[in-house]
Amino acid sequence: MPFDKNKQQAFQAAQQAFVQLQDAMDNLHPEEADYGRHHKHAEQELNEAVQVIQKAYQSASEHQKQQLRLYEEELSRYQQELQDQ
């Protein structure tokens, strides 16, 4: 049972990291004076989400892995968006 709990906790951490990244990306507005600070924060959230999602793969169920792959696709899109700005 502890393994299942750890698996669920790892997946929930990945979900939370992804949501935090989405929030950081939503706060990016190039016309605002504090854009640079928000951009740096979004990059930090992206890096953290990548690490947490990779860690969650180690114990994820097949269903969870499918969701993690979707997160990774979005991470790639966010990464490209940050590079383009």
Side-chain angles (χ1 to χ4, degrees):
M1 201 57 104
F3 181 75
D4 288 338
K5 185 176 180 181
N6 290 340
K7 177 173 38 172
Q8 187 61 28
Q9 287 175 336
F11 183 74
Q12 288 173 343
Q15 285 179 310
Q16 182 178 2
F18 184 76
V19 168
Q20 289 174 327
L21 172 59
Q22 285 179 312
D23 290 344
M25 293 299 293
D26 288 344
N27 286 327
L28 282 179
H29 304 286
E31 68 280 356
E32 291 184 0
D34 58 354
Y35 172 74
R37 183 174 58 84
H38 286 289
H39 190 277
K40 184 173 182 165
H41 177 70
E43 287 177 332
Q44 290 171 340
E45 291 293 343
L46 175 69
N47 291 333
E48 183 177 327
V50 167
Q51 291 174 3
V52 173
I53 288 170
Q54 287 175 350
K55 185 177 179 183
Y57 262 114
Q58 296 172 4
S59 62
S61 68
E62 281 306 310
H63 177 74
Q64 290 172 331
K65 286 180 182 179
Q66 290 174 359
Q67 184 62 47
L68 293 172
R69 282 191 280 278
L70 293 174
Y71 289 159
E72 285 186 321
E73 289 174 16
E74 283 294 305
L75 291 179
S76 294
R77 189 178 65 77
Y78 285 144
Q79 186 173 32
Q80 187 62 47
E81 187 177 329
L82 287 171
Q83 289 175 355
D84 291 345
Q85 293 183 6

